[in-house]
Amino acid sequence: MQAGERLERIRVVLVRTSHPGNIGAAARAMKTMGLSRLYLVSPLAFPDPVAEARASGATDVLDNAVVVDTLEQALEGTVYSAALTARRREWAAPAAYVRDAVPELVARVQEGEVALVFGAETSGLTNDEVLRCTVPVTIPANPGYSSLNLGAAVQLLCYECRIAAVDAPPMEEAPRVLATFDEVEGFHRHLDDAMVRSGFFKPDNPGRLHARLRRLFGRIRLEREEVNILRGILSALERKS
Amino acid sequence: MQAGERLERIRVVLVRTSHPGNIGAAARAMKTMGLSRLYLVSPLAFPDPVAEARASGATDVLDNAVVVDTLEQALEGTVYSAALTARRREWAAPAAYVRDAVPELVARVQEGEVALVFGAETSGLTNDEVLRCTVPVTIPANPGYSSLNLGAAVQLLCYECRIAAVDAPPMEEAPRVLATFDEVEGFHRHLDDAMVRSGFFKPDNPGRLHARLRRLFGRIRLEREEVNILRGILSALERKS
């Protein structure tokens, strides 16, 4: 697979962006690095002339942007996703630095589409949104002032993707068939229902069970076959009880 | 030297910036990565409320910015400088990719201040300005659309500086004393005068002689003592002729 093809398989997902100028800046940043697949989750204002102006010569990226209501919709069909997060979240896996994490993300394009996920300018991503992505990543920054502009953060990540795409090793002979985002979500829903019905999980006292299970299954990057097996086990156990 | 001290010795020089918003974005980008020394060469509009707004929490960087008329003034006292250039210039040394070039720039802070130099949004740096810097550098980009926003380019370079500053080896025992920018310029003026007076160089038919000499001496990173020796030789030769 050529570098250009790899980059075409990377989605940039912007969640609840407030300023259309940042959407335009993100489009321009993407195009300079050879990315083109922009997903917008509930943008405050889009389309918008300010976005067009800031996109400069990259309005084609805006024209082809996919606007959806939820992060789940934006991640549908992806096999790997990285959530950009600035602050440390105590319950989450420690975020990897983008330079260390991006090569794996780019390598995963051999198995399907992947995504870089960015939260809103001020509030970032919710805990639940970070957990729905495969890995949390962070940009090394001045601890006294770590607030990168959204467009600048997109530029940095796309730049790392471009370098990783050019450096990436050739495709493996028989790539693993990873489960897509929606297949993994289906498994989590199944597991959740089973836990509730069995009395193991009490929805009115959730604690950190969901977070821990998502960390666990996020780490092992489930294959499609494995999801089928796990769901088969769940179904079998439920029939028995 | 700590990473923070290294970063404090890096100047960001913006030449003839047209849009004050980009100056603000650059200030913010610098501060997120721990840089603070901003130099503005003939900005079109500064200070300006648009720059303040885009700087977000980094208005201190704007408040401390040094505004000068020429690139020479901005580089005064520096021992090393990197000119960001997008296009290939036939007469110049080939530009290095920023990831490969920035570690040397950051290592040079052990010998004095260094600078990252960015041209105007549309026209970039002039050939003469690129030649006055120690090395040309470039950002790997989509050949079909390589036009990064100025603030985004500053963000990328400062990010590379931060990573290099953290990774930089400890200070050498006896660092070389590099000639400063103004000492090297003094040498070039001296050489130029000597060439004209000797009849070797004809100002009405300049050709590429200046460019070739600047490439040559740029590559060897003159030490102060070496500049003194070369100028001594020039003076001696001129007295003799």
Side-chain angles (χ1 to χ4, degrees), chain A residues 28 32 99 142 159-160, chain B residues 31-32 99 142 147 159-160:
Chain A
R28 178 172 178 179
T32 63
R99 177 148 306 173
N142 176 358
Y159 165 73
E160 291 287 1
Chain B
K31 189 167 178 179
T32 62
R99 177 148 306 174
N142 176 358
S147 154
Y159 165 73
E160 290 287 1

Side-chain angles (χ1 to χ4, degrees), chain A residues 28 31-34 54-58 98-99 139-143 145 147-149 152 155-156 159-160 162-163, chain B residues 28 31-34 54-58 98-99 139-143 145 147-149 152 155-156 159-160 162-163:
Chain A
R28 178 172 178 179
K31 188 168 178 179
T32 63
M33 295 295 140
R54 285 281 290 282
S56 192
V98 293
R99 177 148 306 173
I139 294 171
N142 176 358
Y145 182 74
S147 154
L148 270 78
N149 165 263
Q155 182 75 69
L156 275 189
Y159 165 73
E160 291 287 1
R162 183 171 189 86
I163 290 180
Chain B
R28 178 171 177 180
K31 189 167 178 179
T32 62
M33 295 295 140
R54 286 281 290 282
S56 192
V98 294
R99 177 148 306 174
I139 294 171
N142 176 358
Y145 182 74
S147 154
L148 270 77
N149 165 263
Q155 182 75 67
L156 275 189
Y159 165 73
E160 290 287 1
R162 183 171 189 87
I163 290 180

